[in-house]
Amino acid sequence: MITYPQLKKGATIGVTAPSSGVSAELHDLVTLACNQLEMRGFRITCSETVWTQNKAKSAPAIKRAAEFNTLMADSKIDIIIPPWGGELLIEILEHIDYENIRNKWILGYSDISGLLLAITLKTGISTAHGTNLIDLRGEFSDETTAMWQTVLSTKLGESILQRSSEHYQKAWQHDNPSPCVFHLTETTLWKTVSNRNVKIQGRLLGGCIDIIRHLIGTPFGDVQNFRKQHINGEPVIWYLENCELTTPDLRRSLVQMKLAGWFVHCSGLMFGRSPANTPVDNYTVEDVYQDLADELNIPIIYDIDCGHVPPQITFINGAYAEVEAAEEKGTVLQFFRP
C-alpha cells in the first residue's frame, strides 16, 4: 500500500538543507520565499543548515540527517521543503530514521530526488517531486508551478489533473528578476519517440537520473521489494530528468537501471527537458530515447515539464497515474489510491 500525506490550510513548513544550504550573499532569496509563503497563509520554520554552505554541502552528513530527522519527528511541522538541491545528498541516506518517518510531505527536486525516492521505496510513503523553496519567492507563480499546493492538498481516494505548460524557460536571467521568477518564453512541446499519441498508466517513480542512479545496488534503491511490498506488482511509469550528463553517460545510466531490473514491468518512460543532453560523436539524446524504446518495447515521452528547465509538474512518487501525450500537449492524472 501507498500512504499519502495531505497538506492542510495554514500548514507549517519546515525548511532544512539536506544537500546544499544557501551562502550568505543569497540569504535574501530564502527570506523572500518565506515571506511570500507566509503571505499565503503558511507558517515557516527555518533550521540552521539553510543558512550555511561549505565544501559542497550545508553541513556534515550527520548534522544534516539529524536536522531532517528532527523536523520529521516534530508534530508541529506539516511539510518539509528544502531551499534547493545540491551535490551530496547521498551522504545522509544511511543516517535517516526510516522507521519513524511520519506521514508528511517532502517536496523538492534535483539532488533532493535521491531522498524522495529512497523514502518512498523503503516506506511506501509518497513524496513530491516538484518546485523547491527558492523558486517560490516570486510575487506569483506560473500555473504549472502553482499546482504544487493543490496537488499536495489532494485527499486519499481523490485524483488531481495537471496539464503541460504553455511555455518554458530557456535560460536563467538572474540579472533580470521578474515577479514570476521564471522567464517563460519558449513554446512547450511534449514529444514521443513513436511520433504518435501515447497513453500510459502505472505507479509513478523517478527523479534526477544523475542522482537516483547512485541508489542502484544499495538498500535505498530496492525497486523489486517496493513492487512486492507496496504496489502489488502494478506497472511503473518512470519520470526522469537529466541535469548534467552527456548523452553517452545518460545512456550508460539507463542501461544500468535496465540491468538492475528497474524497468521490469514498466509501462512507459518520461524524460524532462534538459540543459545538458550534449551529443557525443553525433550520438544525440533522441538516439538514446530510440535505443531504449527499441530495447524495452514501451512508449517514451520526452521534453515534459520536469526538472531543471522550468516550470515543472508536481509528480507524486507512488501515486497511480494516467499520462497522455497528444498533439504535442500532455496531461497527468494522478490518483491518490493506496
Side-chain angles (χ1 to χ4, degrees):
M1 287 180 61
I2 300 295
T3 304
Y4 299 89
Q6 188 194 347
L7 186 66
K8 301 286 179 65
K9 192 173 182 179
T12 297
I13 299 172
V15 186
T16 182
S19 182
S20 284
V22 181
S23 54
E25 64 272 16
L26 297 176
H27 281 179
D28 62 320
L29 299 183
V30 179
T31 302
L32 276 171
C34 291
N35 289 343
Q36 287 295 334
L37 288 164
E38 286 174 342
M39 288 171 60
R40 295 171 206 164
F42 292 100
R43 293 182 293 272
I44 313 289
T45 298
C46 284
S47 299
E48 289 181 12
T49 59
V50 174
W51 310 106
T52 57
Q53 175 71 4
N54 187 38
K55 297 190 182 296
K57 52 199 167 194
S58 64
I62 295 293
K63 178 172 182 177
R64 284 180 280 149
E67 195 174 270
F68 176 84
N69 290 334
T70 297
L71 288 183
M72 183 55 69
D74 188 343
S75 60
K76 300 187 196 68
I77 301 296
D78 302 303
I79 175 173
I80 295 174
I81 310 180
W84 49 25
E87 305 287 348
L88 295 172
L89 179 285
I90 197 168
E91 293 180 336
I92 77 167
L93 292 182
E94 62 185 308
H95 306 297
I96 299 298
D97 184 6
Y98 297 96
E99 299 299 317
N100 293 301
I101 294 285
R102 285 178 177 253
N103 190 31
K104 63 179 72 173
W105 286 117
I106 311 163
L107 170 66
Y109 79 109
S110 193
D111 205 28
I112 305 302
S113 66
L115 177 64
L116 303 178
L117 184 60
I119 285 175
T120 296
L121 292 181
K122 284 187 72 68
T123 69
I125 296 173
S126 58
T127 52
H129 186 280
T131 187
N132 59 35
L133 184 94
I134 294 294
D135 290 340
L136 296 175
R137 68 186 185 276
E139 294 174 26
F140 65 92
S141 293
D142 63 276
E143 292 181 5
T144 306
T145 303
M147 279 295 290
W148 75 270
Q149 195 172 337
T150 304
V151 173
L152 302 193
S153 300
T154 303
K155 297 176 182 176
L156 180 66
E158 293 182 346
S159 61
I160 183 71
L161 177 68
Q162 296 174 87
R163 301 182 184 277
S164 56
S165 65
E166 291 294 325
H167 297 90
Y168 70 91
Q169 174 176 279
K170 185 177 183 179
W172 289 98
Q173 299 177 38
H174 295 299
D175 58 344
N176 180 27
S178 66
C180 185
V181 177
F182 302 137
H183 294 79
L184 305 174
T185 61
E186 311 301 307
T187 301
T188 297
L189 302 172
W190 282 29
K191 302 169 187 174
T192 65
V193 168
S194 65
N195 290 317
R196 294 193 293 268
N197 295 349
V198 163
K199 187 172 184 178
I200 50 180
Q201 301 180 44
R203 297 281 182 169
L204 289 166
L205 290 175
C208 179
I209 192 168
D210 312 42
I211 309 308
I212 65 172
R213 62 179 178 166
H214 294 297
L215 303 188
I216 293 171
T218 75
F220 314 107
D222 194 341
V223 175
Q224 289 88 339
N225 184 66
F226 170 79
R227 280 202 194 92
K228 286 185 278 190
Q229 294 293 323
H230 298 294
I231 61 170
N232 197 28
E234 289 181 279
V236 168
I237 300 171
W238 283 97
Y239 64 91
L240 302 166
E241 62 104 359
N242 172 18
C243 180
E244 297 176 335
L245 308 183
T246 63
T247 51
D249 201 1
L250 177 62
R251 172 64 174 156
R252 284 193 295 268
S253 302
L254 289 164
V255 171
Q256 185 179 5
M257 292 172 76
K258 181 187 72 170
L259 296 177
W262 280 27
F263 297 148
V264 172
H265 204 30
C266 172
S267 58
L269 284 161
M270 301 187 287
F271 289 90
R273 297 178 293 263
S274 173
N277 288 341
T278 308
V280 173
D281 195 23
N282 297 322
Y283 189 49
T284 68
V285 74
E286 289 80 11
D287 294 327
V288 176
Y289 299 153
Q290 185 66 61
D291 288 344
L292 198 61
D294 292 343
E295 290 169 357
L296 300 178
N297 195 29
I298 58 174
I300 292 179
I301 305 169
Y302 63 98
D303 287 357
I304 71 166
D305 297 286
C306 177
H308 288 78
V309 182
Q312 55 181 321
I313 283 170
T314 303
F315 287 101
I316 303 301
N317 287 318
Y320 191 87
E322 294 178 358
V323 180
E324 191 163 4
E327 310 302 326
E328 298 184 318
K329 297 295 181 184
T331 56
V332 179
L333 179 61
Q334 297 182 92
F335 298 85
F336 283 29
R337 72 186 202 198

